[in-house]
Amino acid sequence: METTAKDYIFLTDKLDSLITSRPNFVAFRFLHEIKEGYVSLTYKELGRKAKTLAFVLKEKTASGDKALLLYPSGVDFIIAFFACLYADIIPVLAYPPDSENIDRLITIADDCNPDLVLCTNSVLSTLDDFESKTRIQDFTEMERKRKLKALYDLPWVPSDVIKANGVFRKRKEDFYNSNQIALIQYSSGTISFSKGVEVTHRNLYLNSLQFIKAFDLNSETHLVSWLHPYHDIGLIGGIIASVFSGIQTTLMAPSTFVKKPFNWLKEISNIKGKVVSGGPNYAFEMCCHKIKDEQLSELDLRHWKVAFNGGEPVKQETLERFINKFVVCGFSPKAFVPVYGITEATSFISVGSLGKGVTACSFSKTLLRNNIAVETPSGGDSVKLTGSGNIQNNYQIMIIDTKSGQKLEDGSVGEILIADSCFALNYYNNIEFTSESFYIIYNGIKFFKTGDLGFVKNDELFITGRLKDLIVLNGAFYYPHHIEYSVSNSHPALRKGCCAAFTVTMENKELLIVVQEISRDAVNKVNLEELLEKIRTEVFITNGIEPHMVCLTFPSSIPKTINGKIQRGVTKVQFLQNTLKVVASRQSVLSQPKEINYSAIKYLPTNLPEGISRGVVTIR
């Protein structure tokens, strides 16, 4: 009889049972980006390689030591991760050093103070060259140089080439506590610097059960994931829950998807069992724009039963575009499952019902700015929001007023607080972030402040944005992603999902800045002045506000997190430091009214603000 996840709390115990019962079952397949075919791992191979490495680690470490894992996507990361669990050392999940993430890596290493670094030989062989280039170009500050040197001075162990003279064997006297730290994962740093979250063995077990139940993982299921395996769903779903449930998982590097989104859907198409796969909203948007119509005949998406969407606000317009384009391939709208979660929870807080699709409602944009969610007919003064599903049984949700801290009723917008028995409550080495300023005690229950804004309606959670991202102009609230979406979709020369809206303070006044990437082919083909004016008027028409400055930047210049989220705070710093890679910019002259002829009259609200007339809009 096949064991289930409920039979084992420790992930290594579950793997040991699968090694015995299903040694030759292919647990993981990694789609190679360059070579043809897959690199595969059976349970037996995974166990043997992980325990061989664990034997080496046991000789070099003590229980509770920390190993910084720096691996490119692939099976070597999975082997090293399980080796750490077997050896009872704590894996700290990060990325191999490169010019874009080095600051993040230094921050992580300095924060967690690891005892050694695990990597591949290819990562190690490029280290000297990377160090010399980095020191010359970027590391002039003494403090950063000190931190970099401390990282390089650690023992670096290339796990794919080391030789061991033994295999790890668990001794009878070895005792593991389910409340011990199993791993440390760092937040993506969307708003501020990355923070390490302590995840216990019990967290992994309970959150894996939640993932398995939410998506009904069973022997018929095949999971496909291109998400980073170092973080959140890519880790819990792509690796940990896969072993706890005993299913087969096909993995690919995030770069394989980003370079060619067709690879993702083609892999799903090749599998004939029940497929579970998903990603952030921008992944579905990329498929709509980058997969050509002539490629659709190669796709069969009938077996894609769960297409989860989360990690950033789910946009109904994106889902509709995806459905309209891929319904001819057999994709079912009911396959969409919205999810909401945060790094601190390591899994889902809310999830939609399987086979139901998504809930989309139109709400008054004006009332949302006043923190009230009231449904209204679409068009005019409305914005369409997509529900993030029902709250999971083990969580409690509370919405509070951001100013008074008072609990709000359903339908009121406020900060989302959560409480949960399997919640990862502690930030590693950050006492100030585990202090009471991040929590509220209500009826004796400790609630964590997520920093996300939203409301509950008909028992479903709706996410409206991030508290720290909220734009406040003249006393009114605006959500940056609404502005960014309207801008990115206002002209084909603009890159979708590559826009940042934020405010800066000048002469004691908050001013709106919009930064948008332009496609590489369009830089020398479009009238940049007209494009800048198009963006400015789009913001005014759809949101009723005037951007102080609009900047067009080169492709891939706006900072993003490891999960592809726009880093508005970092973009703001670059704007203030004048380090943005600007192609063209335009600053509004507010003192001089300007008349612009709009052809898209249908986008004007029914009730026009004072000073605005149809046909010709006067900006005062």
Side-chain angles (χ1 to χ4, degrees):
M1 179 178 176
E2 184 181 340
T3 58
T4 66
K6 293 183 179 180
D7 296 319
Y8 300 94
I9 288 181
F10 293 100
L11 185 59
T12 50
D13 288 345
K14 176 62 182 180
L15 177 57
D16 285 340
S17 75
L18 291 168
I19 293 171
T20 301
S21 62
R22 308 171 68 189
N24 298 318
F25 181 83
V26 176
F28 297 100
R29 301 189 309 168
F30 182 76
L31 181 64
H32 209 285
E33 189 172 359
I34 301 175
K35 300 177 182 178
E36 289 286 335
Y38 306 91
V39 177
S40 300
L41 275 180
T42 65
Y43 287 126
K44 182 178 179 179
E45 290 169 335
L46 174 57
R48 175 177 57 79
K49 293 181 179 181
K51 290 180 180 180
T52 299
L53 178 56
F55 181 86
V56 176
L57 294 178
K58 268 295 190 183
E59 293 182 327
K60 298 177 178 290
T61 63
S63 293
D65 281 356
K66 296 180 291 296
L68 185 61
L69 271 56
L70 301 179
Y71 287 86
S73 296
V75 297
D76 288 315
F77 169 81
I78 301 174
I79 294 167
F81 176 75
F82 276 90
C84 289
L85 297 186
Y86 274 119
D88 195 28
I89 64 175
I90 301 170
V92 182
L93 313 184
Y95 294 81
D98 62 37
S99 58
E100 293 184 0
N101 72 6
I102 186 63
D103 281 340
R104 183 176 190 271
L105 177 58
I106 291 174
T107 300
I108 290 174
D110 184 62
D111 182 63
C112 71
N113 191 25
D115 298 283
L116 75 160
V117 178
L118 285 174
C119 62
T120 61
N121 190 51
S122 61
V123 171
L124 188 61
S125 63
T126 60
L127 196 62
D128 291 339
D129 181 55
F130 175 76
E131 179 183 8
S132 62
K133 289 181 179 179
T134 305
R135 286 180 184 273
I136 294 172
Q137 294 177 355
D138 299 317
F139 290 90
T140 55
E141 303 97 333
M142 291 299 295
E143 182 64 10
R144 295 173 78 199
K145 186 174 181 180
R146 178 193 66 79
K147 293 178 181 179
L148 182 67
K149 184 178 185 302
L151 173 62
Y152 285 170
D153 286 344
L154 290 170
W156 287 63
V157 180
S159 62
D160 55 336
V161 296
I162 62 172
K163 295 182 179 180
N165 55 3
V167 176
F168 171 81
R169 297 267 194 280
K170 185 176 180 179
R171 301 167 299 181
K172 291 183 178 179
E173 60 268 27
D174 288 338
F175 175 76
Y176 304 132
N177 188 324
S178 63
N179 290 318
Q180 284 179 308
I181 300 175
L183 63 93
I184 298 173
Q185 68 166 352
Y186 278 77
S187 60
S188 57
T190 310
I191 303 300
S192 59
F193 57 86
S194 299
K195 299 180 288 292
V197 177
E198 297 177 356
V199 183
T200 68
H201 291 281
R202 184 169 176 270
N203 293 146
L204 293 182
Y205 167 69
L206 293 176
N207 282 301
S208 294
L209 287 186
Q210 181 178 305
F211 189 96
I212 292 167
K213 180 181 178 181
F215 293 152
D216 188 29
L217 303 189
N218 54 51
S219 58
E220 304 294 323
T221 305
H222 193 120
L223 186 73
V224 178
S225 177
W226 57 267
L227 301 172
H228 289 286
Y230 322 109
H231 190 71
D232 289 354
I233 298 179
L235 174 67
I236 294 292
I239 297 176
I240 297 173
S242 296
V243 172
F244 267 128
S245 60
I247 66 171
Q248 188 175 83
T249 297
T250 295
L251 303 170
M252 65 179 71
S255 58
T256 303
F257 163 75
V258 171
K259 291 177 183 177
K260 191 177 180 182
F262 180 77
N263 290 330
W264 179 34
L265 300 195
K266 182 60 177 176
E267 197 57 39
I268 292 173
S269 180
N270 292 337
I271 298 167
K272 301 309 176 186
K274 170 189 170 184
V275 178
V276 174
S277 189
N281 191 85
Y282 75 82
F284 297 94
E285 192 72 54
M286 287 180 67
C287 289
C288 293
H289 292 286
K290 292 196 173 183
I291 295 179
K292 300 177 181 178
D293 290 343
E294 52 266 33
Q295 294 177 294
L296 299 180
S297 60
E298 302 179 49
L299 299 176
D300 179 4
L301 304 179
R302 291 174 297 169
H303 302 284
W304 194 359
K305 300 302 182 183
V306 178
F308 60 84
N309 186 329
E312 62 179 5
V314 179
K315 297 183 177 69
Q316 180 63 18
E317 295 87 352
T318 298
L319 304 188
E320 291 173 356
R321 270 196 293 273
F322 191 91
I323 292 168
N324 291 337
K325 181 158 189 170
F326 296 101
V327 68
V328 297
C329 306
F331 180 79
S332 171
K334 294 182 178 180
F336 272 127
V337 180
V339 298
Y340 166 70
I342 58 175
T343 299
E344 289 81 358
T346 68
S347 190
F348 307 135
I349 295 170
S350 68
V351 60
S353 301
L354 296 185
K356 177 185 175 183
V358 300
T359 301
C361 304
S362 293
F363 295 91
S364 167
K365 191 182 297 183
T366 300
L367 292 176
L368 273 178
R369 291 171 188 157
N370 291 278
N371 295 329
I372 302 172
V374 176
E375 288 192 59
T376 187
S378 59
D381 178 45
S382 72
V383 59
K384 190 173 288 186
L385 299 180
T386 300
S388 295
N390 302 113
I391 312 303
Q392 294 295 282
N393 291 335
N394 51 309
Y395 288 101
Q396 293 185 58
I397 289 286
M398 183 167 65
I399 310 295
I400 66 167
D401 183 84
T402 56
K403 293 182 179 179
S404 67
Q406 296 296 309
K407 181 181 179 182
L408 299 176
E409 300 297 327
D410 288 2
S412 296
V413 180
E415 184 176 6
I416 301 169
L417 274 62
I418 60 174
D420 167 44
S421 58
C422 65
F423 193 42
L425 291 173
N426 293 319
Y427 288 114
Y428 178 80
N429 200 29
N430 274 298
I431 298 175
E432 64 270 27
F433 288 108
T434 54
S435 67
E436 293 302 318
S437 62
F438 273 66
Y439 298 90
I440 282 182
I441 306 296
Y442 186 81
N443 288 340
I445 301 174
K446 194 175 186 180
F447 284 84
F448 175 80
K449 296 181 180 180
T450 65
D452 289 321
L453 295 169
F455 61 92
V456 175
K457 189 174 183 63
N458 298 328
D459 296 324
E460 187 159 8
L461 181 64
F462 286 78
I463 310 299
T464 59
R466 285 287 297 178
L467 179 59
K468 290 187 177 181
D469 277 342
L470 198 62
I471 291 173
V472 183
L473 296 170
N474 299 321
F477 299 108
Y478 301 89
Y479 293 101
H481 54 277
H482 292 164
I483 298 172
E484 294 159 357
Y485 181 82
S486 64
V487 169
S488 289
N489 288 275
S490 64
H491 195 282
L494 304 176
R495 300 190 74 208
K496 305 295 185 294
C498 297
C499 181
F502 51 87
T503 60
V504 296
T505 305
M506 295 184 181
E507 297 180 355
N508 297 319
K509 186 176 182 179
E510 291 297 311
L511 301 173
L512 175 64
I513 309 298
V514 176
V515 180
Q516 167 68 53
E517 291 182 8
I518 187 173
S519 64
R520 197 174 303 278
D521 295 338
V523 172
N524 297 315
K525 294 181 180 180
V526 300
N527 186 310
L528 297 180
E529 281 297 320
E530 291 181 0
L531 189 55
L532 288 166
E533 179 61 18
K534 172 64 177 174
I535 293 173
R536 190 195 69 79
T537 54
E538 182 69 24
V539 174
F540 185 82
I541 290 174
T542 58
N543 297 277
I545 51 177
E546 170 85 4
H548 173 71
M549 181 174 285
V550 177
C551 298
L552 288 173
T553 63
F554 285 101
S556 304
S557 60
I558 293 180
K560 293 184 178 181
T561 70
I562 55 177
N563 295 322
K565 299 178 186 177
I566 294 292
Q567 290 184 300
R568 300 183 184 98
V570 179
T571 308
K572 178 177 178 177
V573 170
Q574 292 185 355
F575 172 82
L576 294 172
Q577 294 178 345
N578 199 29
T579 57
L580 286 173
K581 299 178 181 178
V582 176
V583 177
S585 64
R586 175 173 177 173
Q587 182 173 325
S588 298
V589 182
L590 300 179
S591 59
Q592 299 178 359
K594 183 171 183 178
E595 292 189 347
I596 300 168
N597 190 7
Y598 291 101
S599 58
I601 303 298
K602 62 181 180 178
Y603 292 113
L604 287 173
T606 305
N607 298 317
L608 296 176
E610 183 180 354
I612 299 180
S613 60
R614 296 192 179 280
V616 175
V617 178
T618 301
I619 302 172
R620 300 198 183 279

